[in-house]
Each structure stands twice: as C-alpha cells, then as structure tokens.
Amino acid sequence: LDTPNNLVSYYTTKPKFIQPSITMRTRIIHLTPLLLSLQPITSTKLQPHFQASASPQPAFQPPHGSASQKQIRSLAPAGNFPSLRAAETSSDRRQHRASKSSSTSSSSSTSAASTTGEEITIDQYSRCLSPYQEKQEVKNESRQYSIIDERPSWQKILGRPIKLASKLSDATLGKVATVALGNGKNGRSRKVKPGSLILLRCGESEWTKTGRFTGWADPDLIREGVLEVEHAGRLLLSEGYEPDIIYTSRLKRAVKSTWTIVNALNAPFLPVFKSWRLNERNYGALTGLKKMDAAKTLGMEVVQAWRNSLKARPPPMKKDDPYFPGNDRRYDDLTEDQIPLTESLMDCMQRARPLWEYGISREIKKGNNVLVVAHTNTLRGLMKVIDNISEDDIQEVSMPSAIPFVYKFDYNMKPLPPEKGKISQAHTSGVFLEKPGLLKEALRRSEEWNQVIPGSYGQKVETSRVTTLEKSLLKLKEDQEAEARYRDRMIVDPNDDGRLTLTSDANGAPSAPMEEEIDSKFEDFDNQTTEAEITLNIQKPDEESPGIVKQGDSKDPVVVFVRHGRTPHNQLGLFTGWEDPPLAPDGIEDARNAGRLLKMHGFEFDVVYTSWLTRAIETAWYCIDEMDACWLPMVKSWRLNERMYGALTGKSKQMIANEYGEDQLKKWRRGFKIQPPPVSSYSLSYPGNDYRRTKYVKDLRISLTETINRSLEAKRLQVHRKFPKTESLWDCMQRSIPFYTQRIVPEAVNKGKRVLITSHENAIRGILMHLCDIPEEAMNQLHLPNGLPLVYNVKRKCITLLDDGSGRDPTEVHDFGPAAQHLFRPCELDDDFFLQMEEQISKADTEEKPVLAA
C-alpha cells in the first residue's frame, strides 16, 4: 500500500474491509480525489486513519486539560473517514438558520438512499460550463438588482452609433500616431488607464481565533478583527487609494469588514456587490471542527492534505447538516448544483474565476479602482488567475488578514511588476501596503497592556462629522439650556430697567427644532377640519397577515418604509437636503429600534433600497444588522435622496426668516410646487460638484450649459449631467415615484420579493402619495417619524403599524400630522382575505371540538 493506486486497487479487490452500509463504489468515489493528490506514503500511516471495521468506531475524547472539553461525536459522511463535530452550543446554533422541514425530509431520504447502496456523486460541483454559460451566469447575477443606476434602454440604443464612431476614431488616430512617431506606440494615449485592484482578506472572526474550519459558516468578527480592518482603511487613505466599486462575499465577516472599510474611507455610498462566488472554500463535513482535534484523530498528514492540496476534497457534508448552505435563505437564488457539499482549493478558485473574467476585470478596464474584500482561498484563486501561477507555486502564496494587496495593470490588463522598495511575495506582482505581521504584533502587545491597564488601548472614540455651524449652534443650545435653568431660579433681573419689551422669540433663541424635511408640520388645512377620526391598522407580534409573516409561510410581496434616524441637523432645526451629515447617537438608536421591531414581528427581506446619503445608508445598515441579514443586496440611488432645498441648505428657519422674510419662508414651506432659490454651480451645496458620487449617475440627462462651461475650464471634454440646484416637493416626487414604479416594482415587488426602503421624508412622502392616493394639498401636512417602520400591504393596499409591545397608542407617541387620516385608511378586502378568514374559522372550530368533548 505504498502508493495511492495500490491502495485503491487493494480496497477494490478486498470488499470485506468495506462497511456493509457503504457500497464499494461510494468508497472509491470518496477516496480517489484525496489519494490521487497525496504523495506516496507508507501503510503504517494510512492504517490508523482509513482502515474500516465492522463495529462503529468510538468517539474521540480530547485529553484532559485540552482546550476543548466538549463532547466530541463521530461522523461518517458517506465515506469511511472518521470525522469529528464539536457539540454545538446554543449560541453557535443561534447564528445559523434551522433547516426547513421539507429540506430535512428530502435530506433524510437522500441519506437513506446512500446507506442502501446508491452512488453519491462528490464531483457535483465540477460543473462543465462553456465560457458563454459562465458569462451569462455572472451577468444574470449582476443584473438581479441594479446596484448601479443604468441608462434607460432607449439611450443605450441611440448611443451605440456614437460609441462605434468613437472606437473607429480612436483606431484611426492610433494608426496615425504609430506612423508619425514610429516608436512602437499603437495609439493608446486616448484609452482609459486601467484602475487598480485591491485585495483584502476580511478581519479575524470568532472561529478563526479558536482554530475551527469555517468555510461557509457565518461567525462574526471579533474586536481584533474590526481593529484590523479599520487599520486597513487608514492604509488605503494614506496611500491615496479610493475604491470606485467593492466586491465581497455573502458571509458576515466579509460584509462587516466592508462596512468598516467604507466608514474609514468616509464613502458608505460606494456600490457593493455581494457575490456567493467570493465565499470561502466549503470544507464539507469538517466545517465547525477544531483543526487540532481533527489532526489528532485523523492524522496531521490527512488534515494538511485537505487544507493545502490543490485538488483534495474533504468529506462532503450531509444536507441535514446545520451548516449546509442550502438551508440558508441567502442562497435561495442559487440552483442546487451551484451549492457545493465540499470543495477542493481548485473548486474554490474555479468558482471565483468567472467573476474575475466577466465582472471585476471589466470594471478595472474602465478605469475603476476595485476593492475585493473576501477570504483566503478565493483571494488566492484570483491571484492565481491574474499572475498565471502554477498549481505547485500557488501553495506557497498566502494572504494575511486585513493587509491590502494592490495590483496595477497595463493597457493589456497584464499585471505590472512591483516597484523597487515595495513589499511583495513570491510568484505575484502585487504589493502589500504594510509588512504582514506588524499589525498582529501591535494588537497582541496592546492587548497585553489592556490586561495590565484596562482601557489603555483600543477604546473607540465616538466622533461625529459636524460643521463649524453645527458646533456653534450646539454650543448655543447648551448655553441657552443653562440660561433657562438660571432664569428659573432668578427672582429679580438686575439688568431689567423697565424699558425692555418682550415679543415672541425676542430672546434670540432659535425656534423649536424643526425636522429637516417638514415643510409645514403645524399648519392646518385650508377650509378643512383636522379632527377627523383616524383608524389605525396595527399588527401585534403574534398576528399574521398577507405578506407580513415569517419566511416560508407566505411569498406575498411586502414593502416596508423607514425614514432615517435623527441627525445633528434635525436636532438643530436645519434644512439638510442633499447635505450629508451622519446619524446622531439618538439616530443610531432609532435605526436599531426599527430593526429590532421588524425582527420581533418576523420580517425577512430580500433586498434593501436606499439613497446615496449617509444617514439613510446607515439606517439601512443598522436595521439589517439587528436582523442578522447584513448579506442583503443594498441598492443606493440618488432618486431616493431628500428634496434639494437650494440656497436654504444648511440654514435654520430663523436665518431664512431674517434673510428673506417670514412670509416668503411660509410660501416655500407650504407650497407644493414652489421652489426655493437655487444654488450656484460653484457652491459646495451643488450636488454636481461631488465628483465621488456623480460618476455613478447615468440615468440623468446631460446639461449642455454645464458641459460647455466645465469643458472650457478643464480644456477637455467633461460631460456633466443636469443635477438639481433646487427642488419643490413636486420635483422631488417626480424622481422618487418613477424610481418605485419603474425600478423597485419590476425588480422586486412583481417577483414576490420583500422590500425594505430606508429613505427621507419627502422621498417617502411621494411614494406614499402614489400608493395611498393622498391629495396634493395634504402632502405638506403629513409627517413621518424617524425610525418608525410603515408596512405597506401590496395586496390590500394599506399601511400597517407594528405593535412594539408597550401598549401605547402610536398616535400619542408619534406625530403624523393632520394628514394622517389619508395615510391610515382601512385595508381593501380582497378574495385572499376572505379565504384566510374561512381558514382561521375552520381551524378554530377544529381546535374547539376536542375541548368541548373533554
């Protein structure tokens, strides 16, 4: 038995060594991928790990005093490889979704078939797809939700002749340049310079620290992992790298690493593609096992072969395994043959390769800097393709956690060699932005200091990005609160000589804080009473209704609207518009409370839509983080932005009243189609000057005036789109309503998806006006509280509030304004409603009969 072939022949000719419940064919299928990848080894090493016996093998007991004192149970996943799985704790199981009853029944029948001699195909992931099929798969995955706004189809059709003419002119000029210069240049001066590729391994997770096989399991980042990724973001800032597009996996540790990076870069608006192709290698039945325990039982050589060999696959997991990806709804869009039961390193690399060829590389060709936040083996797979590394050399390539590894390319997309003095590694052309290992050592030493002096390092300082005006107004607010306390105690004012006459607001104090998007919160309807009775639709946590039930119970679409949490501008009564302040601490709590409330009622979403402003994106993130669904695709669009307040942006009500007059202020606030004064093209408040965001806008028409002016200034053609310089409430609705009807409805609602929309008051107002038939004169009278979920039942066409369990009336807790009677109207009674009522009545009658009989 000194070679793998002899061992296979031995087991083939000696069936008596095979367990009766496992067929010979099944054993050879499971043995061959591993044995063919191993170097010749002696039978003395193989005997303890592969010899089968008629009696079941005893479970491995860890030695006394070892790190794992849990009971270890033995698994035999379709082959005769003894495999170990640590008994999961309740906290471990909470991280993973329980298997569906239907999946369990089908998996049990599958396992029963395997024990009766049915062949098991371990090569199920080795999918023979043509390049065209791979391209179509990647294209369909990217088009499932439009992460980046695209031009309308008619614009693409009209632009094809122009694009073709541009290519022909480039080719002609290139030939002329080659003949004229005679220096080998082939006219590439007009081509776009390729962008850079930044590879980043996610921060350290809970399982990485404890030495477990993680694979497609979903543990969270630990504190050290967050610190590592924050440090990586600072490295990118210091080197001047600004990513344009981010690709990451669907696993929590990678998605949270991405969120930490974009916050460090102050760029949460960046488009993020979450692809299953970038998931870590699937370790099959080894998932969840401690590596040292597996090595002690199975042998270090076997475990190292599974880990490091290019083509060796661990034993596959069963479909009733708690870590089987098919039981996780984040992979509901995948076909059965796309979900692996186990993978070799080669399988993992082949899974990621189409995404590089038909996705990432094409973005780099366009001149975009691409950041890929993923896992060790998928990143190694990308490096293998980029540098054309051989199968032997790839085993020498490593990827340390949270150290950016940067590639640069020439016009032919060939990686450029590293510059002198840069840190690289063998067989690769990329460079590290920092020497690997330095950060680990620094964090280790800081942890030692923290044990001696608690709090000496690593305490995160909460800093909010506020302007000088905000700082001044916050300080003024503190002073006035102190004055109010002092004034209450003072009996006689020594400075009052009897000649001071007080009028309303004459003390110089700013008016009461005004919500940024409220246009006329306290004005009543003209010739209309505001005392109309309001009937609220309130759903309690134990109630179910169409579209508002837990996963698996209903496929009806549902749309939930959440206005972003409070910001410093809200608290100071400033018009915010398209300015970009982050959430205040109270606003973060607003967003988290919304997520907790949705989770309490069993909501599970399929996609999130939000604006490109930080406060709305942060609200979406904190919501889905509380729901443990940070893998959800998040679509960020300027069409869900707040109303553009023009020259009023960043000013308080008192400032505007002093500058323009109280009457003019009321017209701007009350008017449905009255626009405030526009901002200048050179103003910092003009959205077109935010170049980091404007490059993603393709569905807005071109401004001829701005294009000419900016092209003359830059001395080259600069196409500029017609961004709003001011908007009325009507203008804001003209972009938010079409975005809902032309993008969200076809992409999600019509396909039965459950949608979460986190946006701003005026953008949500417009969509609600369309859905609930709210009259124009009532729009300025409708107020939407921060962080309160509004559930729209698509079938019954009504808004429902969620009971928070406090027993309080929502109308007493939240102010919806005088127009609440138009928002909360009775739900329509459709056929499905009566069918459900009949089912509930019959179910209740069935439950009553045994009680009466007793």
Side-chain angles (χ1 to χ4, degrees):
L1 307 183
D2 56 343
T3 65
N5 290 333
N6 290 345
L7 184 61
V8 172
S9 176
Y10 178 77
Y11 274 106
T12 305
T13 57
K14 298 290 185 179
K16 63 182 179 181
F17 285 94
I18 310 300
Q19 288 184 358
S21 60
I22 305 295
T23 65
M24 184 187 313
R25 171 62 178 166
T26 301
R27 168 170 295 280
I28 297 303
I29 288 176
H30 284 275
L31 280 174
T32 304
L34 170 66
L35 298 181
L36 294 182
S37 65
L38 295 176
Q39 296 296 327
I41 50 182
T42 62
S43 59
T44 56
K45 293 183 178 180
L46 283 171
Q47 184 100 6
H49 310 303
F50 293 98
Q51 183 175 359
S53 60
S55 60
Q57 298 184 4
F60 169 75
Q61 298 295 335
H64 179 70
S66 64
S68 175
Q69 292 294 337
K70 296 179 180 179
Q71 180 183 2
I72 306 295
R73 57 186 173 87
S74 177
L75 299 178
N80 195 32
F81 299 121
S83 178
L84 305 178
R85 172 89 65 189
E88 299 88 352
T89 62
S90 58
S91 60
D92 289 332
R93 288 187 177 274
R94 282 192 214 107
Q95 297 177 359
H96 305 281
R97 189 166 172 265
S99 302
K100 299 177 185 177
S101 58
S102 59
S103 301
T104 305
S105 60
S106 62
S107 61
S108 61
S109 61
T110 304
S111 60
S114 65
T115 58
T116 57
E118 185 177 334
E119 295 182 2
I120 299 175
T121 306
I122 194 173
D123 295 336
Q124 65 162 350
Y125 187 73
S126 299
R127 308 166 65 219
C128 299
L129 298 180
S130 66
Y132 176 77
Q133 291 173 320
E134 290 180 341
K135 179 180 177 180
Q136 287 301 117
E137 277 195 358
V138 174
K139 184 181 292 187
N140 293 337
E141 291 166 8
S142 63
R143 288 182 176 178
Q144 185 178 11
Y145 300 105
S146 301
I147 302 297
I148 299 179
D149 290 331
E150 297 183 353
R151 293 181 299 165
S153 301
W154 65 271
Q155 290 186 9
K156 293 181 180 179
I157 296 174
L158 293 178
R160 286 176 183 173
I162 300 175
K163 190 175 181 180
L164 179 60
S166 177
K167 287 184 177 180
L168 293 175
S169 64
D170 285 347
T172 303
L173 290 174
K175 292 179 180 178
V176 171
T178 303
V179 174
L181 298 177
N183 56 359
K185 292 185 179 181
N186 53 2
R188 298 193 184 278
S189 58
R190 293 193 61 185
K191 277 195 172 183
V192 178
K193 180 182 178 182
S196 300
L197 173 65
I198 307 166
L199 303 181
L200 183 72
R201 179 184 167 189
C202 62
E204 189 175 15
S205 69
E206 299 167 349
W207 282 21
T208 306
K209 187 169 185 178
T210 56
R212 292 181 183 272
F213 288 99
T214 308
W216 284 36
D218 203 27
D220 205 346
L221 290 178
I222 58 175
R223 174 178 169 273
E224 288 80 0
V226 175
L227 294 177
E228 287 174 348
V229 180
E230 288 177 347
H231 181 76
R234 299 185 193 106
L235 286 176
L236 293 176
L237 281 176
S238 66
E239 296 290 335
Y241 289 102
E242 293 184 356
D244 298 306
I245 298 176
I246 301 178
Y247 286 83
T248 188
S249 74
R250 296 187 186 179
L251 300 175
K252 185 188 305 180
R253 54 192 183 276
V255 177
K256 286 197 172 183
S257 296
T258 303
W259 175 251
T260 306
I261 283 282
V262 298
N263 276 281
L265 298 174
N266 189 22
F269 56 85
L270 289 175
V272 179
F273 291 86
K274 302 169 184 176
S275 174
W276 67 278
R277 294 183 180 275
L278 291 175
N279 277 19
E280 179 55 292
R281 171 189 176 187
N282 191 321
Y283 284 101
L286 299 182
T287 303
L289 304 184
K290 286 194 172 182
K291 298 174 183 177
M292 292 306 298
D293 291 345
K296 290 176 183 177
T297 305
L298 304 177
M300 184 62 70
E301 297 87 352
V302 176
V303 175
Q304 286 300 102
W306 282 329
R307 293 186 62 194
N308 300 328
S309 177
L310 191 64
K311 298 181 180 179
R313 289 177 179 148
M317 65 172 60
K318 296 181 179 180
K319 291 189 177 182
D320 58 354
D321 192 294
Y323 302 118
F324 173 56
N327 296 329
D328 193 331
R329 72 184 189 89
R330 79 185 71 189
Y331 306 115
D332 284 350
D333 59 324
L334 304 185
T335 60
E336 185 176 358
D337 63 332
Q338 286 179 317
I339 300 177
L341 297 178
T342 183
E343 286 181 315
S344 65
L345 181 57
M346 179 63 77
D347 294 331
C348 181
M349 293 177 177
Q350 290 300 319
R351 165 161 52 85
R353 180 184 52 78
L355 185 63
W356 159 257
E357 293 182 354
Y358 306 112
I360 299 174
S361 64
R362 299 194 175 191
E363 293 296 338
I364 296 175
K365 285 181 182 178
K366 297 177 183 178
N368 292 323
N369 294 327
V370 179
L371 171 63
V372 179
V373 183
H375 313 270
T376 306
N377 291 312
T378 45
L379 294 179
R380 290 172 66 196
L382 295 178
M383 296 161 73
K384 183 180 186 301
V385 175
I386 295 170
D387 284 306
N388 195 22
I389 304 174
S390 67
E391 295 184 0
D392 294 333
D393 293 338
I394 190 60
Q395 301 184 39
E396 302 176 10
V397 176
S398 62
M399 193 64 195
S401 61
I403 302 296
F405 192 72
V406 182
Y407 279 98
K408 294 185 178 180
F409 302 88
D410 62 14
Y411 288 102
N412 294 318
M413 285 302 294
K414 300 295 183 183
L416 298 175
E419 300 176 0
K420 291 184 179 180
K422 298 291 185 179
I423 305 173
S424 185
Q425 62 176 321
H427 314 299
T428 63
S429 304
V431 295
F432 288 107
L433 297 188
E434 186 178 74
K435 184 177 180 180
L438 292 179
L439 181 61
K440 287 282 187 183
E441 180 64 19
L443 292 177
R444 185 187 66 81
R445 291 180 177 270
S446 66
E447 188 63 30
E448 293 177 355
W449 274 103
N450 277 333
Q451 294 178 1
V452 178
I453 308 175
S456 61
Y457 180 83
Q459 298 297 324
K460 186 175 180 180
V461 180
E462 294 290 344
T463 57
S464 58
R465 301 185 301 275
V466 294
T467 62
T468 304
L469 174 63
E470 291 174 340
K471 291 180 181 178
S472 300
L473 292 179
L474 286 171
K475 180 60 178 174
L476 176 62
K477 187 177 180 181
E478 292 178 2
D479 294 342
Q480 290 173 344
E481 290 175 352
E483 289 174 357
R485 292 192 295 270
Y486 176 72
R487 187 167 53 245
D488 293 338
R489 300 192 191 99
M490 189 173 65
I491 301 176
V492 179
D493 187 353
N495 297 322
D496 187 0
D497 56 2
R499 287 180 288 180
L500 295 178
T501 303
L502 294 180
T503 59
S504 59
D505 291 334
N507 58 357
S511 58
M514 176 188 61
E515 298 293 339
E516 60 165 306
E517 295 90 355
I518 304 175
D519 286 333
S520 51
K521 176 178 175 181
F522 301 107
E523 282 98 11
D524 296 335
F525 290 118
D526 296 333
N527 303 323
Q528 193 171 351
T529 179
T530 61
E531 300 298 328
E533 183 179 355
I534 301 175
T535 303
L536 295 181
N537 304 310
I538 302 177
Q539 179 189 341
K540 299 192 178 295
D542 55 347
E543 291 180 348
E544 295 182 355
S545 59
I548 314 177
V549 294
K550 295 185 178 181
Q551 166 75 10
D553 296 334
S554 173
K555 290 297 183 181
D556 293 336
V558 63
V559 181
V560 177
F561 299 91
V562 178
R563 182 190 170 191
H564 65 78
R566 288 167 285 179
T567 68
H569 277 54
N570 293 137
Q571 298 171 339
L572 295 172
L574 304 179
F575 286 96
T576 308
W578 284 35
E579 278 200 353
D580 202 25
L583 293 180
D586 292 341
I588 295 176
E589 192 62 24
D590 291 339
R592 291 200 176 276
N593 286 336
R596 297 184 189 113
L597 184 59
L598 291 168
K599 185 177 182 180
M600 182 176 70
H601 282 263
F603 279 82
E604 291 181 345
F605 297 102
D606 298 303
V607 61
V608 180
Y609 292 89
T610 185
S611 74
W612 72 7
L613 300 177
T614 301
R615 55 191 183 275
I617 299 172
E618 288 183 341
T619 301
W621 169 260
Y622 290 123
C623 275
I624 62 179
D625 185 40
E626 286 293 332
M627 302 177 69
D628 195 23
C630 56
W631 52 270
L632 287 173
M634 187 181 298
V635 181
K636 307 163 189 175
S637 175
W638 69 276
R639 292 188 177 273
L640 290 177
N641 277 16
E642 179 50 278
R643 171 187 176 187
M644 174 59 188
Y645 283 106
L648 308 186
T649 302
K651 298 181 179 180
S652 68
K653 175 184 174 183
Q654 191 62 43
M655 295 177 187
I656 298 168
N658 291 336
E659 183 175 356
Y660 298 99
E662 189 71 30
D663 292 338
Q664 185 62 49
L665 174 63
K666 290 182 179 179
K667 290 181 181 179
W668 287 329
R669 295 180 63 201
R670 288 181 180 179
F672 183 66
K673 295 186 178 181
I674 300 178
Q675 296 178 340
V679 295
S680 166
S681 299
Y682 303 98
S683 171
L684 293 176
S685 299
Y686 175 53
N689 293 330
D690 189 352
Y691 297 106
R692 296 199 303 168
R693 289 180 168 92
T694 54
K695 58 187 174 185
Y696 300 108
V697 178
K698 298 179 181 178
D699 55 344
L700 192 61
R701 72 182 183 88
I702 295 174
S703 171
L704 183 60
T705 304
E706 291 291 339
T707 297
I708 294 175
N709 291 339
R710 293 172 188 266
S711 299
L712 291 174
E713 180 185 5
K715 297 181 180 179
R716 61 185 178 87
L717 179 62
Q718 282 196 345
V719 178
H720 192 81
R721 300 189 180 273
K722 193 174 181 62
F723 290 94
K725 297 182 178 179
T726 184
E727 284 182 322
S728 64
L729 181 57
W730 184 84
D731 295 326
C732 179
M733 294 176 180
Q734 294 310 298
R735 53 178 168 84
S736 63
I737 294 177
F739 182 78
Y740 178 82
T741 57
Q742 300 172 15
R743 279 280 302 278
I744 298 179
V745 171
E747 276 187 359
V749 177
N750 288 346
K751 297 178 180 178
K753 304 294 186 180
R754 290 145 296 182
V755 179
L756 174 64
I757 300 177
T758 61
S759 185
H760 312 265
E761 185 169 41
N762 284 316
I764 297 177
R765 273 178 177 176
I767 299 175
L768 292 178
M769 176 183 177
H770 167 73
L771 296 176
C772 302
D773 296 328
I774 302 176
E776 291 184 2
E777 62 271 13
M779 288 307 300
N780 286 333
Q781 304 290 333
L782 178 63
H783 173 46
L784 303 179
N786 297 91
L788 180 67
L790 301 175
V791 182
Y792 178 70
N793 193 317
V794 177
K795 282 192 171 183
R796 301 185 62 192
K797 299 179 181 180
C798 61
I799 295 293
T800 302
L801 295 178
L802 302 179
D803 183 12
D804 60 0
S806 64
R808 298 176 298 176
D809 185 353
T811 57
E812 296 178 359
V813 179
H814 306 287
D815 181 16
F816 294 96
Q821 55 183 318
H822 298 281
L823 181 64
F824 300 108
R825 61 182 185 182
C827 296
E828 296 182 3
L829 303 182
D830 55 2
D831 294 337
D832 290 340
F833 172 78
F834 291 106
L835 289 175
Q836 288 187 1
M837 291 296 296
E838 291 177 0
E839 291 177 359
Q840 293 179 5
I841 293 173
S842 62
K843 183 179 179 180
D845 292 341
T846 305
E847 293 175 351
E848 279 185 14
K849 288 180 180 179
V851 176
L852 294 174

